[in-house]
mmCIF file of all heavy atoms in Angstrom:
data_model
loop_
_atom_site.group_PDB
_atom_site.id
_atom_site.type_symbol
_atom_site.label_atom_id
_atom_site.label_comp_id
_atom_site.label_asym_id
_atom_site.label_seq_id
_atom_site.Cartn_x
_atom_site.Cartn_y
_atom_site.Cartn_z
ATOM 1 N N GLU A 115 38.393 -166.582 -162.018
ATOM 2 C CA GLU A 115 38.243 -168.024 -161.799
ATOM 3 C C GLU A 115 37.186 -168.333 -160.741
ATOM 4 O O GLU A 115 36.855 -169.497 -160.525
ATOM 5 C CB GLU A 115 39.591 -168.618 -161.364
ATOM 6 C CG GLU A 115 40.708 -168.378 -162.386
ATOM 7 C CD GLU A 115 42.066 -168.748 -161.840
ATOM 8 O OE1 GLU A 115 42.134 -169.103 -160.642
ATOM 9 O OE2 GLU A 115 43.050 -168.690 -162.598
ATOM 10 N N GLN A 116 36.683 -167.324 -160.053
ATOM 11 C CA GLN A 116 35.714 -167.522 -158.980
ATOM 12 C C GLN A 116 34.558 -166.549 -159.160
ATOM 13 O O GLN A 116 34.543 -165.468 -158.581
ATOM 14 C CB GLN A 116 36.372 -167.310 -157.613
ATOM 15 C CG GLN A 116 35.439 -167.519 -156.433
ATOM 16 C CD GLN A 116 34.939 -168.941 -156.356
ATOM 17 O OE1 GLN A 116 35.714 -169.864 -156.199
ATOM 18 N NE2 GLN A 116 33.636 -169.124 -156.487
ATOM 19 N N PRO A 117 33.586 -166.888 -160.021
ATOM 20 C CA PRO A 117 32.456 -165.975 -160.268
ATOM 21 C C PRO A 117 31.718 -165.637 -158.982
ATOM 22 O O PRO A 117 31.726 -166.391 -158.007
ATOM 23 C CB PRO A 117 31.568 -166.784 -161.219
ATOM 24 C CG PRO A 117 32.481 -167.791 -161.843
ATOM 25 C CD PRO A 117 33.480 -168.132 -160.786
ATOM 26 N N LEU A 118 31.049 -164.494 -159.000
ATOM 27 C CA LEU A 118 30.347 -164.001 -157.821
ATOM 28 C C LEU A 118 28.853 -163.952 -158.104
ATOM 29 O O LEU A 118 28.423 -163.484 -159.164
ATOM 30 C CB LEU A 118 30.856 -162.603 -157.455
ATOM 31 C CG LEU A 118 30.501 -162.094 -156.057
ATOM 32 C CD1 LEU A 118 31.250 -162.894 -154.998
ATOM 33 C CD2 LEU A 118 30.848 -160.615 -155.929
ATOM 34 N N GLY A 119 28.057 -164.437 -157.150
ATOM 35 C CA GLY A 119 26.614 -164.415 -157.300
ATOM 36 C C GLY A 119 26.026 -163.045 -157.020
ATOM 37 O O GLY A 119 26.666 -162.164 -156.442
ATOM 38 N N SER A 120 24.762 -162.877 -157.392
ATOM 39 C CA SER A 120 24.116 -161.569 -157.260
ATOM 40 C C SER A 120 23.930 -161.149 -155.809
ATOM 41 O O SER A 120 24.053 -159.966 -155.465
ATOM 42 C CB SER A 120 22.757 -161.587 -157.977
ATOM 43 O OG SER A 120 21.915 -162.584 -157.419
ATOM 44 N N ALA A 121 23.648 -162.101 -154.910
ATOM 45 C CA ALA A 121 23.439 -161.748 -153.505
ATOM 46 C C ALA A 121 24.731 -161.220 -152.881
ATOM 47 O O ALA A 121 24.719 -160.224 -152.137
ATOM 48 C CB ALA A 121 22.935 -162.961 -152.730
ATOM 49 N N ALA A 122 25.856 -161.874 -153.173
ATOM 50 C CA ALA A 122 27.143 -161.422 -152.643
ATOM 51 C C ALA A 122 27.510 -160.061 -153.215
ATOM 52 O O ALA A 122 28.019 -159.181 -152.509
ATOM 53 C CB ALA A 122 28.234 -162.450 -152.950
ATOM 54 N N TRP A 123 27.242 -159.883 -154.516
ATOM 55 C CA TRP A 123 27.537 -158.592 -155.141
ATOM 56 C C TRP A 123 26.714 -157.474 -154.503
ATOM 57 O O TRP A 123 27.231 -156.385 -154.237
ATOM 58 C CB TRP A 123 27.273 -158.651 -156.641
ATOM 59 C CG TRP A 123 27.460 -157.319 -157.317
ATOM 60 C CD1 TRP A 123 26.507 -156.480 -157.775
ATOM 61 C CD2 TRP A 123 28.714 -156.674 -157.581
ATOM 62 N NE1 TRP A 123 27.057 -155.353 -158.309
ATOM 63 C CE2 TRP A 123 28.416 -155.445 -158.207
ATOM 64 C CE3 TRP A 123 30.042 -157.012 -157.359
ATOM 65 C CZ2 TRP A 123 29.418 -154.560 -158.614
ATOM 66 C CZ3 TRP A 123 31.048 -156.125 -157.761
ATOM 67 C CH2 TRP A 123 30.724 -154.915 -158.375
ATOM 68 N N THR A 124 25.467 -157.744 -154.240
ATOM 69 C CA THR A 124 24.602 -156.743 -153.597
ATOM 70 C C THR A 124 25.140 -156.371 -152.220
ATOM 71 O O THR A 124 25.150 -155.197 -151.836
ATOM 72 C CB THR A 124 23.168 -157.272 -153.483
ATOM 73 O OG1 THR A 124 22.649 -157.518 -154.794
ATOM 74 C CG2 THR A 124 22.274 -156.269 -152.772
ATOM 75 N N ALA A 125 25.615 -157.368 -151.474
ATOM 76 C CA ALA A 125 26.172 -157.102 -150.145
ATOM 77 C C ALA A 125 27.400 -156.194 -150.243
ATOM 78 O O ALA A 125 27.579 -155.270 -149.427
ATOM 79 C CB ALA A 125 26.537 -158.408 -149.453
ATOM 80 N N ILE A 126 28.248 -156.444 -151.235
ATOM 81 C CA ILE A 126 29.443 -155.612 -151.416
ATOM 82 C C ILE A 126 29.060 -154.183 -151.781
ATOM 83 O O ILE A 126 29.565 -153.210 -151.196
ATOM 84 C CB ILE A 126 30.358 -156.216 -152.504
ATOM 85 C CG1 ILE A 126 30.943 -157.549 -152.036
ATOM 86 C CG2 ILE A 126 31.478 -155.246 -152.855
ATOM 87 C CD1 ILE A 126 31.716 -158.301 -153.110
ATOM 88 N N GLU A 127 28.159 -154.039 -152.746
ATOM 89 C CA GLU A 127 27.748 -152.702 -153.189
ATOM 90 C C GLU A 127 27.094 -151.926 -152.049
ATOM 91 O O GLU A 127 27.375 -150.728 -151.851
ATOM 92 C CB GLU A 127 26.781 -152.822 -154.367
ATOM 93 C CG GLU A 127 27.425 -153.263 -155.662
ATOM 94 C CD GLU A 127 28.072 -152.090 -156.386
ATOM 95 O OE1 GLU A 127 29.188 -151.682 -156.000
ATOM 96 O OE2 GLU A 127 27.455 -151.567 -157.334
ATOM 97 N N GLU A 128 26.235 -152.585 -151.298
ATOM 98 C CA GLU A 128 25.555 -151.903 -150.194
ATOM 99 C C GLU A 128 26.547 -151.503 -149.105
ATOM 100 O O GLU A 128 26.396 -150.448 -148.475
ATOM 101 C CB GLU A 128 24.455 -152.798 -149.613
ATOM 102 C CG GLU A 128 23.253 -152.953 -150.553
ATOM 103 C CD GLU A 128 22.172 -153.853 -149.968
ATOM 104 O OE1 GLU A 128 22.460 -154.511 -148.943
ATOM 105 O OE2 GLU A 128 21.073 -153.894 -150.537
ATOM 106 N N PHE A 129 27.563 -152.322 -148.898
ATOM 107 C CA PHE A 129 28.567 -151.993 -147.884
ATOM 108 C C PHE A 129 29.299 -150.708 -148.262
ATOM 109 O O PHE A 129 29.440 -149.797 -147.443
ATOM 110 C CB PHE A 129 29.567 -153.143 -147.743
ATOM 111 C CG PHE A 129 30.656 -152.877 -146.727
ATOM 112 C CD1 PHE A 129 30.453 -153.158 -145.392
ATOM 113 C CD2 PHE A 129 31.885 -152.352 -147.124
ATOM 114 C CE1 PHE A 129 31.455 -152.912 -144.453
ATOM 115 C CE2 PHE A 129 32.887 -152.107 -146.192
ATOM 116 C CZ PHE A 129 32.668 -152.389 -144.854
ATOM 117 N N TRP A 130 29.756 -150.615 -149.511
ATOM 118 C CA TRP A 130 30.498 -149.418 -149.919
ATOM 119 C C TRP A 130 29.573 -148.207 -150.073
ATOM 120 O O TRP A 130 30.038 -147.068 -149.964
ATOM 121 C CB TRP A 130 31.289 -149.687 -151.190
ATOM 122 C CG TRP A 130 32.374 -150.704 -150.988
ATOM 123 C CD1 TRP A 130 32.506 -151.905 -151.616
ATOM 124 C CD2 TRP A 130 33.465 -150.626 -150.072
ATOM 125 N NE1 TRP A 130 33.602 -152.582 -151.153
ATOM 126 C CE2 TRP A 130 34.215 -151.816 -150.201
ATOM 127 C CE3 TRP A 130 33.886 -149.669 -149.136
ATOM 128 C CZ2 TRP A 130 35.353 -152.061 -149.444
ATOM 129 C CZ3 TRP A 130 35.024 -149.918 -148.376
ATOM 130 C CH2 TRP A 130 35.746 -151.101 -148.537
ATOM 131 N N ASP A 131 28.298 -148.442 -150.329
ATOM 132 C CA ASP A 131 27.349 -147.321 -150.316
ATOM 133 C C ASP A 131 27.241 -146.726 -148.912
ATOM 134 O O ASP A 131 27.134 -145.503 -148.754
ATOM 135 C CB ASP A 131 25.964 -147.787 -150.779
ATOM 136 C CG ASP A 131 25.905 -148.027 -152.280
ATOM 137 O OD1 ASP A 131 26.777 -147.495 -152.998
ATOM 138 O OD2 ASP A 131 24.988 -148.749 -152.723
#
Side-chain angles (χ1 to χ4, degrees):
E115 302 170 355
Q116 181 63 62
L118 195 69
S120 59
W123 176 255
T124 298
I126 293 173
E127 288 278 79
E128 289 180 349
F129 179 86
W130 295 119
D131 286 340

